Amino acid sequence: ITVNSGSICSGNSFTIVPSGANTYTYSCSSVITPSITSSYTVIGESANGCLNNNVAISTVTVIEVPSVSITGNTVICASELLTLIANGVGNFLWNTGETTPSITSYPTSNITYSISATNACGTASDLISVIVNSLPTINYSNDTTILSDNTINLFANGGITYNWQPANLGCNTCSVVTVSPTSNTTYTVMITAANGCTVTKMISVRVEDNFEIFIPDIFSPNGDGQNDILYVRGLGIKEMSFKLFNRIGEKIFETNDITKGWDGCYKGTALNNAVFVYVLTATRLDGSKINKHGDVTLIR
């Protein structure tokens, strides 16, 4: 005997049609509705009851009906990467022309994406609408240059919240921050709008060395309130060592603190008019060193 085989769409029925015998016995029934691809046995018997070569196999291939659904974000910010993923059965075709299960894009305005899934059993489709929120329109400080030891205000506006980095600016959530960098520094501010979209900007502040150093060549510690203390004066000094010697090379004063000066005394005794030698070593903010030496006259 012989039997037919074939393909059906999931949920449909298939009729087995045998030939070559008088009567037939089916392993299931002659009309079947398989959920998966299956094989069925048919036994044929002649009119005189002979069963020689009486078995045939019918194979029914089940094709799943096409289906498709899209998952992904439905609300994003402009210029944000959007990833959409399709799940289902069939050959995919997006309205963008792509045939892959997932697609990516950077939409700049509200947009709808659709997809179809097709096979021998038909076509299914799905769509998704994406809302694209605009980025905040902001104003912010330009890159700038300042002198060392100076401060400057940096600003950003156009959002509802602000987050400045580095984190030690006093008010990192303000729209205006005051900075006093000691070296070239780039500040970052993240501005968030009411719709939740953010913009991040970087502002560079270049620091130029405002270095000055001055030691008076004469001072008068006579108690009149004017020029009574000998100080090292200057700007842009990171570290210093200041030493004073008398004419025989004896050290009479030393300090590493620019705020501390010499009052003209040595071991508690006021010194008389004389000329003293100083040696100064100073380190600038950029790490370079300055060496100076000279004379200072004490007059009472």
Side-chain angles (χ1 to χ4, degrees):
I1 66 172
T2 60
V3 294
N4 60 324
S5 295
S7 299
I8 61 171
C9 295
S10 177
N12 289 351
S13 297
F14 181 83
T15 301
I16 299 175
V17 181
S19 62
N22 185 49
T23 60
Y24 303 94
T25 301
Y26 301 91
S27 60
C28 185
S29 65
S30 60
V31 179
I32 51 178
T33 308
S35 59
I36 60 174
T37 297
S38 305
S39 296
Y40 303 89
T41 300
V42 180
I43 300 174
E45 184 176 347
S46 65
N48 59 15
C50 292
L51 300 175
N52 188 36
N53 298 323
N54 68 325
V55 177
I57 303 297
S58 174
T59 299
V60 181
T61 301
V62 177
I63 302 173
E64 192 172 353
V65 174
S67 63
V68 65
S69 62
I70 304 172
T71 58
N73 291 334
T74 57
V75 179
I76 65 169
C77 297
S79 300
E80 181 181 345
L81 176 65
L82 173 68
T83 299
L84 299 178
I85 300 174
N87 294 286
V89 176
N91 298 315
F92 295 148
L93 177 62
W94 296 85
N95 62 339
T96 61
E98 295 165 278
T99 57
T100 53
S102 65
I103 61 172
T104 59
S105 64
Y106 291 89
T108 57
S109 59
N110 296 349
I111 189 171
T112 297
Y113 295 88
S114 63
I115 189 173
S116 63
T118 304
N119 64 15
C121 291
T123 300
S125 62
D126 193 21
L127 58 82
I128 187 170
S129 295
V130 179
I131 297 173
V132 181
N133 287 324
S134 60
L135 299 177
T137 301
I138 64 169
N139 296 312
Y140 59 99
S141 296
N142 294 323
D143 295 345
T144 189
T145 300
I146 65 171
L147 296 176
S148 60
D149 297 328
N150 286 359
T151 62
I152 189 172
N153 289 334
L154 303 179
F155 74 89
N157 55 54
I160 59 170
T161 64
Y162 305 87
N163 187 358
W164 293 84
Q165 296 293 331
N168 56 346
L169 302 181
C171 181
N172 287 71
T173 58
C174 296
S175 63
V176 179
V177 295
T178 301
V179 300
S180 303
T182 58
S183 60
N184 296 344
T185 304
T186 297
Y187 298 90
T188 302
V189 57
M190 183 173 68
I191 305 99
T192 303
N195 60 16
C197 293
T198 63
V199 172
T200 299
K201 295 297 182 181
M202 293 185 294
I203 304 170
S204 295
V205 179
R206 177 180 174 82
V207 179
E208 292 188 351
D209 193 359
N210 185 21
F211 182 79
E212 296 179 10
I213 196 163
F214 171 72
I215 302 171
D217 56 7
I218 188 171
F219 80 116
S220 56
N222 55 13
D224 65 356
Q226 296 182 357
N227 202 24
D228 285 332
I229 305 295
L230 177 67
Y231 289 105
V232 176
R233 306 291 187 182
L235 296 173
I237 300 173
K238 183 179 181 181
E239 297 174 349
M240 71 160 217
S241 172
F242 180 64
K243 300 176 183 179
L244 277 168
F245 301 88
N246 59 23
R247 283 300 182 181
I248 63 173
E250 185 179 13
K251 183 171 65 176
I252 61 171
F253 177 75
E254 180 179 10
T255 183
N256 296 319
D257 187 346
I258 198 171
T259 65
K260 294 181 179 180
W262 183 43
D263 61 1
C265 296
Y266 178 54
K267 295 182 179 180
T269 301
L271 299 182
N272 295 323
N273 297 350
V275 176
F276 300 88
V277 175
Y278 72 82
V279 176
L280 172 69
T281 300
T283 302
R284 301 167 66 163
L285 294 177
D286 63 3
S288 61
K289 294 185 180 298
I290 299 294
N291 296 307
K292 289 176 66 70
H293 60 85
D295 295 337
V296 176
T297 301
L298 184 154
I299 298 178
R300 292 193 180 274

